[in-house]
Amino acid sequence: MSERLQPGDVAPAFTLQDADGTEVSLADHKGRKVIVYFYPAALTPGCTKQACDFTDNLDLLAGAGYDVIGISPDKPEKLARFRETESLKVTLLADPDKSVLEAYGAYGEKKLYGKTVVGVIRSTVVVDEEGKVERALYNVKATGHVAKIIKDLGI
């Protein structure tokens, strides 16, 4: 079971491929706040709702100084299909070996329909301009989550 991050922790560095196969690193965003959200699978109802909510609020978040990155175990080709199908504007990164998901505590045991399974734990980590964890939210709901983040961050 991976450790959950706490406010004040240094956010684990990562470099992953985006939907176009281009490498994107957390370090590329130094000096800006970053909302890194982890979701189980592209092109599924809950994950689509969440990604669309982030896309719909991207201008508001960017205006407040936040970049948004979504990470799932999907391969870049599936992320490209997800982006095109849903007209997504958020940066989607592929973590097929789940190393970043594990580093952020977003992979492990969870309850699914009353059963304990191992998988992606829907999570959001807000990283400050210095690369430290500002907030770490685990087991979040896909619906209404973006509105809650906006409210909590005072945007």
Side-chain angles (χ1 to χ4, degrees):
M1 187 80 173
S2 42
E3 283 291 310
R4 293 189 169 186
L5 297 176
Q6 300 296 323
D9 289 350
V10 173
F14 61 78
T15 300
L16 296 170
Q17 287 188 339
D18 69 7
D20 301 314
T22 306
E23 290 197 338
V24 175
S25 299
L26 181 60
D28 298 342
H29 298 269
K30 193 129 177 92
R32 286 187 59 83
K33 293 184 177 196
V34 186
I35 296 170
V36 184
Y37 78 97
F38 299 91
Y39 63 98
L43 299 165
T44 58
C47 298
T48 297
K49 172 79 176 115
Q50 190 177 22
C52 289
D53 280 354
F54 272 118
T55 292
D56 292 346
N57 289 285
L58 203 54
D59 290 343
L60 177 69
L61 292 164
Y66 290 89
D67 294 335
V68 178
I69 297 173
I71 298 177
S72 75
D74 298 305
K75 293 192 172 5
E77 304 78 38
K78 187 172 181 188
L79 297 179
R81 225 170 38 250
F82 189 30
R83 182 185 62 199
E84 304 314 318
T85 303
E86 302 298 337
S87 303
L88 301 174
K89 294 189 183 89
V90 294
T91 301
L92 300 174
L93 301 182
D95 184 21
D97 70 1
K98 302 174 189 74
S99 59
V100 177
L101 285 154
E102 288 177 357
Y104 276 77
Y107 190 82
E109 282 189 2
K110 64 179 185 174
K111 291 271 188 223
L112 189 64
Y113 306 114
K115 291 192 170 107
T116 300
V117 298
V118 174
V120 176
I121 299 163
R122 192 181 303 276
S123 311
T124 301
V125 176
V126 180
V127 180
D128 70 14
E129 300 90 339
E130 303 301 314
K132 287 204 169 26
V133 174
E134 190 176 296
R135 295 164 190 262
L137 310 161
Y138 293 95
N139 293 312
V140 301
K141 300 274 179 245
T143 304
H145 179 59
V146 176
K148 183 179 179 341
I149 289 174
I150 290 168
K151 182 174 179 267
D152 290 353
L153 294 174
I155 300 171

